[in-house]
């Protein structure tokens, strides 16, 4: 401030005016004091963006924002009697991580209310779980839960899935999601309540398939939109219950060091639940809410106007909630269901004797029109594209929007995008399209086996081209997709496995397309600065910088100083959100 006063005196002299208003004694001038911090962390290893390239040793917080980042000495003038000072004792401090693609509104309901079993549950284990839930004294009318493996009916001889559930469910209707959260499995009562005729003449719904027995009768397995036919008649959880679920996921996320996320599918009631959780002070997260469209995989519905989406974005928005975002659901998943849209046909086998390219849920021209309109209106856009055919259709739609609305435009995310035809890979950078890498499927694991069997070799192994995309200049972010395909929201095993392309916890040496491995510095920013930019919250989150929300995590070890194979053991000691401590590790 003294420097500013000096320039005032010089300016007055140069203008040849008397400067009567300038103080005669600069040492006694009424110079505003440097504000004092509420909180200071010292003696830390502060990784400003998570990478090893930008490291400080201290930070200061005022009114929920970073006031200063630098060395210990720089914090001393900011420290007063009321300042809470923490000695980090050399601990690593990282920006709060960002899960750019996750389903908290679904995950909260799963955690609090559903009947759950592991992805690798055997038929016996699954039956015991469902029977226990159905016989519980406080069992709800509907037994809803999951999640059975994508290869469950490939690996296990279950002749009639619907009757298998009938035998263990008592008088309850039962609906179970699979590990991808795309497909369902229902018993007879659930299908009858949904109005599904159990005969060979019943037609498949648009965008879905009733898997059938040898007589053509639906057998209880419901692919894509067929699952939504049953899901639509399940009584929804109340607004209060849904808000409690979202608050629970906020706590879960903070426990992993996550302080921001993008909810990749948010119907209107869930938006209200987010607002209720936030209004009650139970949401310690920056949340970007991608509003669902076209029924999102269910029976196709007309796309509402931009103005209607605007109204919801305004109604449910807040400092923590951003809802000017939309999700388009273009295809399915490349597992045994073969519902992701591919450029070349899937493999055939006894259960899938006919060649197929998969499913396309939105007409090509309709998608182009929708992307153009919502991009012009300034919306964040995410398009579900699990197959390379869907990636191509989506890139064509983005190209049309760029030609009409100008380049580079806001980033447009292609969700999942694990399979990309080599001809389309350079288009990501050229069109400012994002490879939204989720879920964590870039290392050997059971669901990968289902994918490889369906897609075939060698194409099946060419999954998640991280190295090629980064080298091309494309944007990538990481996302758990939980509760789909991921057991939890933990980002640390995913970060490790992007570097090793190995399973992060089973100790096996097997790798998955190891040529696509990246460095730790490249991997970590896919959960910090990159998703902040992609989600449009780079002014608030993604790095430890002056003026940004004071979101950070103190770790149990320094991931840049340990063997790469130990990163999956990383856990927060403390998580801070908006300058408040929101998680402390149990002692």
């Amino acid at each position: 401030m003294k420097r500013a006063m000096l320039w005032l005196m010089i300016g007055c002299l140069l203008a040849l005016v008397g400067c009567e208003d300038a103080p005669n004694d600069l040492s006694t001038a009424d110079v505003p004091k440097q504000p004092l911090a509420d909180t200071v962390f010292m003696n830390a290893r502060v990784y400003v963006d998570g990478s090893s390239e930008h490291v400080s040793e201290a930070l200061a917080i005022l009114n929920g924002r970073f006031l200063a980042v630098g060395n210990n000495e720089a914090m001393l003038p900011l420290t007063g009697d009321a300042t809470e000072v923490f000695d980090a004792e050399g601990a690593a401090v990282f920006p709060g991580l960002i899960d750019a693609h996750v389903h908290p509104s679904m995950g909260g309901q799963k955690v609090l209310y559903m009947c759950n079993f592991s992805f690798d549950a055997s038929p016996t284990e699954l039956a015991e779980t469902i029977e226990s839930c159905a016989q519980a004294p406080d069992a709800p009318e509907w037994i809803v839960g999951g999640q059975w493996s994508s290869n469950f009916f490939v690996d296990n001889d279950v002749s009639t899935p619907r009757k298998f559930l009938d035998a263990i469910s008592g008088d309850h209707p039962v609906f179970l999601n699979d590990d991808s959260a795309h497909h369902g499995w229902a018993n007879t009562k659930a299908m009858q309540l949904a109005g599904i005729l159990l005969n060979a003449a019943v037609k498949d719904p648009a965008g879905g398939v009733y898997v059938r027995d040898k007589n053509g009768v639906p057998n209880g397995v419901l692919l894509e939109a067929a699952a939504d036919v049953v899901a639509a008649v399940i009584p929804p959880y109340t607004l209060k219950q849904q808000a409690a679920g979202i608050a629970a996921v906020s706590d879960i996320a903070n426990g992993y060091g996550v302080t921001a996320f993008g909810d990749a599918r948010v119907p209107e009631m869930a938006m209200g639940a987010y607002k209720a959780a936030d209004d009650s002070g139970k949401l310690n997260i920056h949340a970007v809410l991608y509003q669902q469209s076209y029924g999102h995989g269910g029976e196709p519905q007309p796309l509402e106007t931009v103005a209607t989406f605007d109204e919801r974005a305004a109604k449910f928005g807040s400092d923590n909630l951003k809802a000017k975002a939309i999700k388009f659901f273009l295809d399915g998943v490349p597992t045994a269901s073969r519902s992701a849209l591919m450029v070349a046909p899937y493999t055939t086998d006894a259960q899938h004797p006919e060649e197929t390219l998969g499913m396309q849920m939105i007409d090509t021209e309709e998608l182009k029109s929708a992307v153009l309109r919502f991009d012009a209106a300034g919306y964040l856009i995410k398009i579900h594209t699990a197959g390379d055919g869907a990636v191509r259709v989506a890139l064509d739609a983005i190209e049309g929007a760029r030609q009409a609305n100008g380049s580079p435009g806001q980033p447009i995310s292609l969700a999942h995008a694990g399979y990309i035809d080599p001809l389309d890979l350079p288009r990501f950078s050229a069109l400012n399209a994002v490879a939204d890498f989720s879920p964590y499927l870039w290392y050997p694991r059971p669901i990968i086996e289902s994918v490889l069997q369906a897609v075939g070799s060698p194409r099946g192994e060419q999954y998640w081209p991280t190295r090629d995309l980064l080298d091309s200049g494309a944007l990538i972010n990481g996302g758990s997709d939980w509760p789909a395909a991921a057991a939890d929201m933990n980002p640390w095993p995913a970060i490790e496995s992007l570097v090793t392309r190995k399973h992060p916890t089973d100790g096996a040496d097997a790798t998955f397309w190891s040529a696509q491995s990246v460095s730790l510095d490249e991997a970590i920013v896919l959960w910090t600065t990159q998703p902040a930019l992609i989600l449009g919250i780079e002014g608030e989150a993604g790095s430890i910088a002056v003026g940004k929300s004071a979101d950070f995590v103190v770790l149990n070890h320094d991931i840049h100083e340990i063997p790469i194979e130990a990163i999956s053991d990383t856990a927060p000691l403390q998580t801070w959100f908006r300058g408040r401590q929101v998680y402390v590790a149990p002692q």
Side-chain angles (χ1 to χ4, degrees):
M1 299 302 295
K2 288 185 177 179
R3 179 177 297 178
M5 190 60 66
L6 176 62
W7 280 109
L8 173 62
M9 294 292 292
I10 293 172
C12 289
L13 291 170
L14 290 177
L16 297 178
V17 297
C19 288
E20 292 86 351
D21 294 332
N24 295 321
D25 183 356
L26 293 182
S27 64
T28 63
D30 186 15
V31 179
K33 293 181 180 180
Q34 175 72 35
L36 298 179
D38 297 324
T39 308
V40 166
F41 270 76
M42 303 178 77
N43 300 318
R45 293 276 294 171
V46 180
Y47 291 93
V48 173
D49 63 0
S51 76
S52 61
E53 295 183 2
H54 307 103
V55 187
S56 294
E57 64 177 352
L59 60 85
I61 303 166
L62 177 64
N63 297 330
R65 296 189 176 275
F66 291 116
L67 174 65
V69 183
N71 57 32
N72 288 330
E73 290 72 20
M75 302 302 121
L76 297 178
L78 308 177
T79 304
D81 293 340
T83 303
E84 188 173 18
V85 179
F86 290 84
D87 183 352
E89 300 179 333
V93 174
F94 279 66
L97 299 194
I98 302 172
D99 188 334
H101 187 117
V102 63
H103 297 277
S105 50
M106 295 168 53
Q109 295 169 31
K110 175 182 173 68
V111 168
L112 295 186
Y113 311 120
M114 293 186 180
C115 183
N116 300 312
F117 45 86
S118 65
F119 292 154
D120 59 357
S122 67
T124 299
E125 292 167 332
L126 187 152
E128 290 173 349
T129 300
I130 300 304
E131 193 167 22
S132 175
C133 291
Q135 293 177 357
D138 58 348
E141 176 192 2
W142 279 77
I143 304 301
V144 179
Q147 296 162 275
W148 45 280
S149 162
S150 291
N151 256 23
F152 187 86
F153 297 107
V154 175
D155 297 337
N156 300 292
D157 184 15
V158 180
S159 58
T160 309
R162 173 167 50 83
K163 293 181 179 179
F164 177 95
L165 292 181
D166 291 344
I168 59 176
S169 56
D171 193 39
H172 292 279
V174 176
F175 178 81
L176 306 175
N177 281 301
D178 78 328
D179 56 1
S180 74
H182 276 242
H183 312 311
W185 176 10
N187 69 352
T188 298
K189 185 168 185 178
M191 297 182 75
Q192 289 173 336
L193 288 171
I196 300 171
L197 300 177
L198 297 178
N199 60 47
V202 65
K203 294 182 178 180
D204 290 334
V209 173
Y210 298 133
V211 179
R212 301 166 189 261
D213 63 20
K214 62 183 179 181
N215 297 315
V217 178
N219 73 0
V221 179
L222 311 162
L223 304 184
E224 300 295 349
D228 291 282
V229 175
V230 175
V233 301
I234 300 173
Y237 296 106
T238 66
L239 181 67
K240 183 177 179 180
Q241 288 175 317
Q242 292 191 36
I246 288 167
V249 175
S250 175
D251 291 342
I252 291 168
N254 293 161
Y256 290 124
V258 173
T259 56
F261 56 56
D263 190 326
R265 175 201 172 186
V266 193
E268 184 168 1
M269 187 172 182
M271 295 176 75
Y274 268 105
K275 190 67 164 59
D278 189 34
D279 288 347
S280 67
K282 296 179 180 178
L283 189 70
N284 296 313
I285 285 282
H286 304 286
V288 175
L289 311 181
Y290 285 87
Q291 300 185 49
Q292 73 173 24
S293 66
Y294 293 111
H296 197 92
E299 190 69 25
Q301 300 170 5
L303 182 62
E304 296 167 300
T305 64
V306 172
T308 301
F309 282 84
D310 284 344
E311 290 171 5
R312 283 194 292 264
K315 179 179 179 181
F316 299 113
S318 72
D319 288 346
N320 290 336
L321 300 173
K322 311 299 180 189
K324 195 169 183 179
I326 188 170
K327 168 78 172 293
F328 298 122
F329 187 81
L330 185 55
D331 71 341
V333 287
T335 58
S337 64
R338 292 162 169 77
S339 58
L341 181 64
M342 304 297 286
V343 170
Y346 287 96
T347 61
T348 56
D349 56 29
Q351 294 186 27
H352 307 89
E354 297 182 3
E355 282 192 347
T356 179
L357 295 175
M359 305 170 97
Q360 182 172 339
M361 310 298 186
I362 304 174
D363 175 77
T364 298
E365 294 305 314
E366 172 68 18
L367 180 70
K368 288 181 178 179
S369 173
V371 170
L372 190 153
R373 281 183 286 139
F374 279 87
D375 178 64
Y379 271 69
L380 294 174
I381 295 172
K382 189 186 292 282
I383 309 172
H384 177 107
T385 55
D388 54 6
V391 167
R392 178 168 292 173
V393 172
L395 288 171
D396 289 346
I398 296 170
E399 185 172 5
R402 299 303 187 221
Q403 291 172 351
N405 300 332
S407 293
Q410 287 196 114
I412 296 178
S413 296
L414 301 193
H416 317 304
Y419 284 117
I420 303 171
D421 188 279
L423 294 176
D424 291 318
L425 194 143
R427 301 177 70 195
F428 277 79
S429 176
L431 295 172
N432 200 23
V434 177
D436 179 1
F437 271 18
S438 63
Y440 306 151
L441 297 181
W442 38 80
Y443 57 86
R445 52 186 294 192
I447 195 172
I448 287 291
E449 293 306 311
S450 180
V451 171
L452 295 181
Q453 290 171 19
V455 178
S457 187
R459 182 175 61 149
E461 288 88 351
Q462 296 168 359
Y463 202 20
W464 312 105
T466 322
R467 175 80 275 149
D468 291 344
L469 283 164
L470 288 179
D471 288 347
S472 75
L475 289 171
I476 306 178
N477 64 244
S480 66
D481 205 18
W482 177 78
D488 52 45
M489 290 179 66
N490 189 353
W492 303 104
I495 292 166
E496 175 187 313
S497 57
L498 271 181
V499 180
T500 65
R501 303 291 284 216
K502 295 180 181 180
H503 194 290
T505 59
D506 69 2
D509 290 330
T511 60
F512 189 73
W513 204 11
S514 59
Q516 296 299 317
S517 65
V518 299
S519 71
L520 178 55
D521 279 351
E522 291 172 318
I524 188 67
V525 297
L526 305 188
W527 276 262
T528 59
T529 54
Q530 293 291 283
L533 173 66
I534 292 160
L535 294 177
I537 56 174
E538 67 272 24
E540 281 285 290
S543 63
I544 297 173
V546 173
K548 288 191 176 185
S549 179
D551 312 328
F552 62 98
V553 55
V554 183
L555 298 180
N556 61 333
H557 53 212
D558 187 338
I559 66 171
H560 293 292
E561 300 293 334
I562 61 173
I564 192 69
E565 293 79 11
I567 290 177
S568 54
D569 296 323
T570 301
L573 300 176
Q574 302 176 34
T575 302
W576 290 65
F577 175 73
R578 293 195 181 276
R580 295 179 291 106
Q581 189 180 73
V582 294
Y583 172 80
V584 179
Q587 298 298 316

